Amino acid sequence: MRRVSIFGATGSIGQNTIDLIKRAPDEYDVVALTGASNIKQLAEDAKALNAGIAVTADEARLPELRAALQGSGVEAAAGAQAITEAAHRPADWIMSAIVGAAGLAPGMAALAQGTTLALANKESLVCAGNLLLETGRAHNAEILPVDSEHSAVFQALVGEPMDAVERIIITASGGAFRDWPLADLPNATLAQASSHPNWDMGQRITIDSASMFNKAMEIIETREFFGVDPAMIEVLIHPQSMIHALVGFNDGALMAHVGPPDMRHAIGYALHHPARAHLPVERLDLAAIGTFEFRAPDDTRWPALRIAREVMARGGLAGAVFNAAKETALDGFIGGHLKFTQMSDVVSRTLEQMDASGGHIDATMTLDNVLETDQMARKAAWDAIHKLGQ
Ligand code: NAD
Ligand code: MG
């Protein structure tokens, strides 16, 4: 039996992971499940999978979680610290699917005990890529990509020499506003930004897809995962979301990864790696699909793509500032304090301000420094939001 834990179990990635595990319950011993506000789902899954412990991020909800688990034998705990402690529980495979920088500390804890980390939480790589990768190396712990593009690149690279790689192309659907007139973008509503043409995902990543901040994060994620020069990474708009990434080699060959837009593929690949196993995803009928389209991305429509390049050029803890500013700007948009197009202004201003105001970006990359810089950047981003709102 493989011991597995799922961090962010109640979210979109977490539920897809549970779907795969429930199909072969005898193969897995579920150590820990974590969630935040959806106590009902967390308790239901913890009981169904007979988990060792269920943890909610929200301390005020502990009595409710306890009550829901009464008599089941599943332990209950609450709070950020308890989540990180759950990551210390011995496991063979941990799904990191918390959304945001909150996923960093539990991911580090998992790697520090040598556990294989299936990484959906791209924010932790953007905030602290080197730290995460070095911790993995130091403890002989594997980090497997779960983001669909990065899983695709990872698969296209199997058996290939890295020095033959010339470029890595990650695709983007273009999100909800791909075909909108530019003049309409400032008036995009929350409901419009929260609906994705191809993928069914959590609300935050769906809005990040519309603004292309998701792709901006993924450019940085590609640099971290595959250790390539930023100039080798390209973004290609592909409205069908069926080619997830392509790797270009020095003999001119492009290896493309093609599959349905269903995260259970990338999750399942990471779950069974290095083997392949049967997965319950649609088999594509290419003749019925007929056409794959491609377009160049547009930095005017999606300034986030340009900002990602600036962040990589700046180096240091600029990634942590970028992620915190992006998360805060997103909170600002969701809360009705910002227009859709102002999110990128907030991120740019926060990066400029944090660069001008002392050594936070140049601090050594330790977990404490990253978390401190994250907090400083969130304050700076809220200041920028308030200024823009005046
Ligand atoms: P989601 O919003 O559906 O779920 C997020 C999960 O994190 C939930 O379980 C929630 O309870 C938990 N959570 C939220 N705030 C928390 C906090 N402060 N502390 C602890 N737990 C907290 O998100 P999602 O779409 O499943 O995305 C999860 C991660 O996977 C993100 O990093 C996202 O970028 C990445 N990802 C998602 C998809 C997708 O298809 N949904 C694809 C690629 C990558
Ligand atoms: Mg992706």
Side-chain angles (χ1 to χ4, degrees):
M1 290 249 276
R2 286 177 75 200
R3 296 165 303 172
V4 302
S5 290
I6 304 166
F7 286 73
T10 54
S12 163
I13 292 286
Q15 289 292 298
N16 276 312
T17 309
I18 287 174
D19 175 79
L20 294 181
I21 284 177
K22 276 187 178 162
R23 288 165 194 262
D26 299 343
E27 291 172 24
Y28 303 101
D29 171 9
V30 177
V31 177
L33 297 183
T34 82
S37 55
N38 193 346
I39 302 295
K40 188 168 170 279
Q41 187 72 54
L42 179 62
E44 218 170 83
D45 287 328
K47 285 191 280 192
L49 294 169
N50 197 20
I53 188 168
V55 192
T56 165
D58 187 348
E59 290 183 38
R61 308 287 294 276
L62 182 58
E64 201 183 322
L65 181 61
R66 278 212 180 103
L69 291 172
Q70 184 117 46
S72 67
V74 181
E75 277 178 65
Q81 187 60 34
I83 289 186
T84 300
E85 277 165 22
H88 284 294
R89 293 196 171 203
D92 302 305
W93 187 91
I94 285 185
M95 167 54 77
S96 166
I98 288 175
V99 65
L104 177 59
M108 290 282 292
L111 291 172
Q113 63 167 11
T115 305
T116 297
L117 192 69
L119 191 72
N121 177 248
K122 65 192 88 181
E123 294 87 348
S124 52
L125 262 190
V126 172
C127 286
N130 267 345
L131 185 64
L132 212 62
L133 297 171
E134 273 169 24
T135 307
R137 272 194 289 270
H139 296 89
N140 224 358
E142 228 173 341
I143 307 180
L144 300 170
V146 172
D147 216 346
S148 55
E149 298 76 2
H150 305 76
S151 174
V153 172
F154 191 68
Q155 294 179 49
L157 284 172
V158 170
E160 302 287 359
M162 267 319 279
D163 61 4
V165 174
E166 271 183 358
R167 55 185 182 146
I168 293 180
I169 304 171
I170 56 173
T171 61
S173 69
F177 306 137
R178 179 184 63 220
D179 301 316
W180 274 37
L182 280 181
D184 292 349
L185 282 183
N187 300 320
T189 65
L190 180 59
Q192 287 165 333
S194 303
S195 109
H196 196 283
N198 305 336
W199 293 94
D200 180 14
M201 309 185 284
Q203 187 190 37
R204 298 182 73 87
I205 185 173
T206 301
I207 301 171
D208 281 350
S209 296
S211 64
M212 226 36 127
F213 268 112
N214 181 48
K215 210 50 55 180
M217 303 275 288
E218 290 181 359
I219 296 174
I220 301 175
E221 188 186 4
T222 303
R223 203 265 312 255
E224 298 297 335
F225 252 126
F226 304 105
V228 293
D229 190 288
M232 292 163 67
I233 306 168
E234 298 171 25
V235 171
L236 179 68
I237 305 297
H238 165 49
Q240 289 77 21
S241 295
M242 289 182 191
I243 298 182
H244 304 298
L246 306 98
V247 177
F249 292 95
N250 57 4
D251 58 359
L254 275 175
M255 297 288 284
H257 180 282
V258 187
D262 183 333
M263 285 309 295
R264 290 177 304 176
H265 170 73
I267 295 167
Y269 187 80
L271 184 60
H272 299 291
H273 176 79
R276 281 195 188 266
H278 178 274
L279 291 173
V281 302
E282 183 196 346
R283 273 47 176 170
L284 291 182
D285 178 348
L286 293 177
I289 294 162
T291 313
F292 281 168
E293 297 164 84
F294 306 104
R295 296 183 211 167
D298 169 359
D299 281 8
T300 314
R301 181 177 295 272
W302 296 300
L305 298 176
R306 173 183 46 75
I307 299 174
R309 305 271 173 197
E310 292 167 3
V311 167
M312 289 188 290
R314 180 63 183 81
L317 300 189
V321 173
F322 171 63
N323 179 67
K326 187 229 61 159
E327 287 192 33
T328 309
L330 184 55
D331 290 337
F333 176 65
I334 292 173
H337 307 290
L338 276 184
K339 286 185 179 299
F340 180 77
T341 42
Q342 286 178 319
M343 286 192 283
S344 58
D345 299 332
V346 168
V347 175
S348 289
R349 285 181 193 205
T350 306
L351 279 159
E352 274 164 34
Q353 208 230 300
M354 290 288 290
D355 211 0
S357 69
H360 287 284
I361 291 185
D362 292 312
T364 315
M365 192 182 277
T366 61
L367 184 56
D368 285 348
N369 283 349
V370 169
L371 297 177
E372 191 183 319
T373 299
D374 173 278
Q375 289 305 312
M376 295 289 298
R378 281 171 205 266
K379 280 198 197 94
W382 274 117
D383 287 348
I385 292 172
H386 293 133
K387 277 191 194 128
L388 276 167
Q390 279 164 7

